[in-house]
């Protein structure tokens, strides 16, 4: 197995194309507006589409060039707001996130990581990234709320949202406490602490799950080999 494998985000695709087309469209629409006043309506529509294309392209360009990096020690997730790393020996389960609603199994557009401890992540993640993930993963919290029919877990979470979070004897405050508590709430209701959007991967989710499991298995085998040789 190679030493490092990187995964590219889907959101990065066509970034340069959209930016170029948007910029060209803006210039053309302004030219049409100045030279051909009778094409005002057409120029205005073109300007609107070009502006959207340009902004979307710039947003894509600001995304990291890779979203996941797999190494012999663990996986690193890259986000435009920062990054976090999870060691293979801290992962209990890797799978696609799913939820059961009305007797039907619904697959969510996320990869899920169930951890042994949140502490290593909370000790390393930046408040900026934690804040971004809290915002982006609100739909997961709503999904957890509908999954828990009596809403008791959600009410408990919201009631303690701004209180310190204690995990394995360590106390966290502020945004880190909110992120830790959110992760525990999602784990209780959906089964996983950390979630990686399918938009952040460059191949089918099933392939990524199999790849992550393979790397974890290789790590566990390598960790046991010295003990077997004694």
């Amino acid at each position: 197995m190679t030493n490092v494998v990187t995964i590219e985000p889907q959101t990065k695709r066509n970034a340069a194309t959209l930016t170029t087309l948007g910029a060209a469209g803006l210039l053309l629409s302004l030219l049409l507006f100045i030279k051909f006043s009778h094409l005002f309506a057409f120029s205005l529509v073109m300007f609107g589409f070009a502006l959207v294309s340009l902004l979307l392209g710039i947003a894509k360009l600001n995304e990291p060039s890779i979203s996941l990096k797999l190494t012999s020690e663990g996986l690193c997730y890259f986000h435009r707001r920062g990054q976090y790393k999870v060691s293979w020996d801290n992962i209990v389960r890797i799978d696609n996130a799913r939820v059961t609603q009305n007797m039907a199994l619904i697959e969510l557009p996320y990869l899920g990581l169930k951890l042994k401890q949140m502490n290593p992540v909370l000790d390393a993640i930046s408040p900026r990234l934690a804040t971004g993930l809290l915002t982006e993963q609100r739909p997961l919290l709503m999904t957890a709320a509908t999954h828990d029919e009596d809403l008791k877990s959600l009410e408990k979470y919201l009631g303690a949202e701004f209180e310190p979070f204690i995990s394995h004897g360590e106390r966290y405050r502020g945004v880190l406490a909110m992120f830790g508590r959110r992760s525990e709430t999602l784990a209780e209701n959906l089964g996983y602490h950390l979630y990686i959007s399918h938009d952040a991967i460059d191949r089918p989710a099933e392939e990524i799950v199999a790849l992550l499991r393979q790397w974890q298995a290789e790590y566990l085998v390598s960790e046991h080999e010295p003990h077997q040789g004694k």
Side-chain angles (χ1 to χ4, degrees), residues 51-72:
L51 182 60
V52 171
S53 177
L54 179 62
L55 293 177
L56 183 59
I58 293 174
K60 285 176 172 286
L61 287 174
N62 288 331
E63 293 290 335
S65 57
I66 62 173
S67 54
L68 286 175
K69 182 170 72 173
L70 313 184
T71 69
S72 58

Side-chain angles (χ1 to χ4, degrees), residues 13 29 114 145 159 182:
R13 295 175 180 174
S29 64
K114 184 177 178 63
R182 169 78 64 84

Side-chain angles (χ1 to χ4, degrees), residues 69-209:
K69 182 170 72 173
L70 313 184
T71 69
S72 58
E73 292 81 21
L75 67 88
C76 189
Y77 171 64
F78 295 89
H79 188 277
R80 64 182 180 279
R81 290 174 173 263
Q83 64 187 65
Y84 64 72
K85 185 175 181 180
V86 183
S87 59
W88 296 120
D89 59 359
N90 192 30
I91 300 177
V92 176
R93 183 184 177 193
I94 305 170
D95 207 343
N96 287 311
R98 300 178 178 88
V99 65
T100 302
Q101 291 184 352
N102 299 323
M103 304 298 291
L105 188 62
I106 300 174
E107 185 166 307
L108 303 176
Y110 294 91
L111 303 177
L113 303 177
K114 184 177 178 63
L115 307 184
K116 296 177 183 177
Q117 295 185 16
M118 275 297 297
N119 299 61
V121 176
L122 294 176
D123 291 340
I125 193 172
S126 67
R128 184 169 181 264
L129 176 55
T131 301
L133 294 178
L134 285 169
T135 301
E136 293 177 5
Q137 295 179 357
R138 281 175 183 168
L140 283 171
L141 184 62
M142 296 300 101
T143 300
T146 57
H147 179 254
D148 186 10
E149 296 180 355
D150 59 8
L151 301 180
K152 288 183 179 179
S153 295
L154 180 61
E155 292 176 359
K156 181 180 179 181
Y157 164 77
L158 293 175
E161 189 174 24
F162 299 100
E163 296 179 2
F165 175 70
I166 300 176
S167 176
H168 297 274
E170 293 189 49
R171 181 184 293 266
Y172 301 90
R173 298 180 181 275
V175 174
L176 296 183
M178 293 176 65
F179 183 70
R181 185 170 288 103
R182 169 78 64 84
S183 299
E184 292 292 348
T185 298
L186 293 177
E188 291 174 6
N189 290 275
L190 302 180
Y192 304 95
H193 293 88
L194 300 178
Y195 296 81
I196 299 173
S197 172
H198 286 178
D199 289 338
I201 58 179
D202 58 5
R203 63 198 76 178
E206 293 75 12
E207 291 186 20
I208 296 294
V209 169

Side-chain angles (χ1 to χ4, degrees), residues 12-23:
K12 192 75 173 179
R13 295 175 180 174
N14 303 318
T17 301
L18 285 171
T19 304
T20 302
L21 289 177

